[in-house]
Amino acid sequence: MPGQKLTTLSELRAALEAADISDLAYSFESDGCGEVYRLARESGRWAFYYAERGQRSGLLSFDSEAEAVQYFFQQITSDPSTTRTWLRTHRSPKT
């Protein structure tokens, strides 16, 4: 997926699926529970941040959806712990 030019949230969703990114690793709706990469429309701009236990870190703001989704995709795909494969192999077994 490197070099892939994404311009919309719907294209981003499809690219995340194709890249094996777990839907537990991100949210477009709320900060979710646990730790998630977040992309949201706030005050007419696009906000990117990492949400952990209700706290935001790494907050960046973008004027355009295209800039925001491109940055989001770059960040989440550079974190190997966001893939379904990684989660399956590193998840603690239920006891």
Side-chain angles (χ1 to χ4, degrees):
M1 266 40 64
Q4 184 173 359
K5 184 68 175 163
L6 306 171
T7 59
T8 66
L9 198 56
S10 61
E11 290 174 354
L12 175 60
R13 289 178 195 271
L16 293 171
E17 178 70 27
D20 192 40
I21 303 298
S22 171
D23 57 1
L24 299 175
Y26 64 90
S27 176
F28 304 128
E29 309 301 324
S30 71
D31 287 350
C33 55
E35 303 173 15
V36 294
Y37 286 90
R38 177 86 163 92
L39 187 62
R41 186 91 167 135
E42 297 180 351
S43 302
R45 295 176 55 90
W46 289 90
F48 166 86
Y49 56 90
Y50 189 76
E52 182 177 6
R53 297 185 194 112
Q55 300 296 313
R56 294 179 175 194
S57 63
L59 179 62
L60 294 173
S61 183
F62 297 91
D63 290 325
S64 76
E65 181 179 7
E67 289 175 302
V69 299
Q70 196 66 40
Y71 185 82
F72 184 95
F73 187 75
Q74 174 197 7
Q75 293 302 301
I76 200 165
T77 55
S78 67
D79 180 350
S81 71
T82 62
T83 66
R84 290 183 193 93
T85 303
W86 189 94
L87 289 171
R88 274 193 303 273
T89 59
H90 291 84
R91 187 175 296 158
S92 299
K94 293 182 181 180
T95 54

